[in-house]
Amino acid sequence: MKIYTNDDVSPDSLKGERIAIIGYGSQGRAHAQNLRDSGADVIVGVRKGGSGYDKATHDGLQTAEIKDAIADATIIAILTPDMSHAEIYKDIIEPFAPKGAALLFAHGFSVLYGRVVPRADMDVILVAPKGPGDLVRREYQRGRGVPSLFAVDRDVTGTAARKALGYARGIGGTVGGVIETTFREETETDLFGEQAVLCGGTTELVLMGFETLVEAGYRPEIAYFEVLHELKLIVDLLYEGGFAKMHSFVSETCKYGDLVSGPRIINSETRERMREVLKDIQDATFAREWILENQAGRPRYNSLMNTDLNHPIEKVGKDLRGRMSWLQNKANVDA
């Protein structure tokens, strides 16, 4: 497997390119600042007077309405939320983008599921950092980088890969290492990871653990510490050194419990449910449901979110975290 680093990508890869960053949320803000600091010609496309406009202006970036920002752009990076892509592309980018411009995404959802069908003259590329925008920015400022993925879905100009890798280098990705993928692979694995493990799987495991202990008569505060608070400690060890480092830092009793009880909780039935989740992603069932949910005003989404945020673990956690001084000075991260 080829991992692209600074040695593989010329620092002049973006020479002569004008990059329009559409949106100034978590990823947009990080990409725009990192590219600017890497010497790239960057303009941010945002609604004048909106929060993104205010932040971009405060950060010293050139800003304009989207139509004006893309007027002479050679790379147009759509970094707004997925459900906004279709309208932004159809109403502004498709009719006004220069011929031969590259359309860049940080997630392949809109292209894979046909929400955006780029004009025939446009390159279509993807650069996806494997971390939130705040981390992408912080690591860049430290002279490091977040590993990233890149993909070329369409190469009309013959320069699509150069642009994608140059962009990846500009945001710091080639310091962390960049791996080539496809729009399908990036999208399907990303959605699966979020749903089955990183967010959906983890939060449900935490809630069930909390409820099991509380139902058995244990105090909610103790349950919170055991199933949520300490989770970060374990995840940090896994992140830093895999199973080996985690096992080296926990007790022998913990290790034995891990080995014999883990498979009782996460078992063949869990794997079958994971396969069902993956199938719904692969055959676009999930995408269709999410698109229709948005078109209907997100009634199910809002109901489920309300249930999540009003679970007893949230009240207990808020009270306990309020006593943790080391958490109080952390700056909020843009969504």
Side-chain angles (χ1 to χ4, degrees):
M1 178 184 65
K2 172 70 173 177
I3 298 179
Y4 294 83
T5 68
N6 281 348
D7 293 336
D8 303 299
V9 183
S10 169
D12 296 325
S13 294
L14 293 178
K15 188 175 181 179
E17 307 290 351
R18 181 162 175 79
I19 305 170
I21 300 293
I22 309 305
Y24 205 67
S26 175
Q27 290 291 343
R29 191 175 195 180
H31 290 211
Q33 292 187 79
N34 289 5
L35 286 163
R36 176 199 59 194
D37 293 350
S38 293
D41 181 11
V42 180
I43 185 169
V44 179
V46 283
R47 180 175 55 83
K48 190 171 183 178
S51 61
Y53 172 85
D54 292 339
K55 290 176 183 176
T57 302
H58 177 269
D59 292 337
L61 286 151
Q62 183 181 357
T63 61
E65 295 286 341
I66 297 176
K67 179 181 175 182
D68 298 322
I70 68 171
D72 56 356
T74 58
I75 299 174
I76 301 170
I78 304 182
L79 301 178
T80 57
D82 290 333
M83 290 301 109
S84 69
H85 291 184
E87 182 179 0
I88 290 172
Y89 176 77
K90 196 67 179 175
D91 293 350
I92 306 175
I93 296 175
E94 185 176 61
F96 299 112
K99 184 177 180 180
L103 200 57
L104 183 147
F105 298 84
H107 180 42
F109 186 102
S110 294
V111 172
L112 180 63
Y113 298 120
R115 296 280 291 166
V116 172
V117 181
R119 282 184 348 216
D121 63 278
M122 304 183 84
D123 291 340
V124 184
I125 57 180
L126 175 146
V127 176
K130 301 313 294 177
D134 180 63
L135 182 66
V136 172
R137 180 58 178 162
R138 281 188 285 113
E139 288 300 288
Y140 178 92
Q141 290 175 308
R142 293 169 177 167
R144 304 187 304 217
V146 172
S148 302
L149 304 178
F150 90 96
V152 175
D153 189 65
R154 186 197 296 164
D155 185 7
V156 178
T157 66
T159 62
R162 173 183 62 77
K163 290 174 182 174
L165 284 168
Y167 186 101
R169 176 176 177 130
I171 64 173
T174 48
V175 178
V178 178
I179 299 173
E180 186 170 11
T181 184
T182 65
F183 272 61
R184 178 174 297 278
E185 183 178 55
E186 185 278 332
T187 303
E188 292 178 351
T189 55
D190 187 73
L191 291 175
F192 176 80
E194 290 170 349
Q195 295 174 32
V197 181
L198 305 178
C199 298
T202 298
T203 55
E204 287 304 309
L205 190 65
V206 167
L207 288 181
M208 286 193 179
F210 178 84
E211 290 171 356
T212 299
L213 288 173
V214 173
E215 287 170 1
Y218 299 101
R219 283 173 290 167
E221 293 80 6
I222 304 301
Y224 174 88
F225 278 123
E226 295 304 328
V227 304
L228 193 155
H229 176 80
E230 292 193 36
L231 181 64
K232 181 186 186 308
L233 310 178
I234 300 302
V235 170
D236 282 350
L237 293 172
L238 289 168
Y239 176 82
E240 293 165 6
F243 292 170
K245 183 164 185 176
M246 187 271 285
H247 283 306
S248 70
F249 275 80
V250 299
S251 71
E252 293 297 313
T253 304
C254 178
K255 278 186 270 194
Y256 182 68
D258 167 358
L259 298 171
V260 300
S261 296
R264 296 173 63 190
I265 305 300
I266 308 299
N267 52 30
S268 58
E269 183 178 352
T270 310
R271 189 187 299 274
E272 281 306 308
R273 300 294 82 76
M274 286 185 170
R275 287 173 177 149
E276 290 173 5
V277 168
L278 181 58
K279 182 177 181 298
D280 283 349
I281 292 168
Q282 292 172 327
D283 66 15
T285 296
F286 170 77
R288 287 192 295 270
E289 288 182 358
W290 178 224
I291 291 166
L292 289 172
E293 178 70 14
N294 277 270
Q295 292 173 347
R298 301 188 180 185
R300 185 184 182 202
Y301 170 96
N302 291 331
S303 175
L304 293 172
M305 181 64 73
N306 185 63
T307 299
D308 237 22
L309 297 182
N310 285 286
H311 191 281
I313 198 173
E314 280 291 278
K315 181 181 185 307
V316 173
K318 184 177 181 180
D319 292 343
L320 290 174
R321 290 190 297 272
R323 300 172 181 274
M324 300 175 192
S325 59
W326 63 92
L327 295 179
Q328 305 315 307
N329 294 325
K330 280 185 173 291
N332 291 326
V333 178
D334 292 332

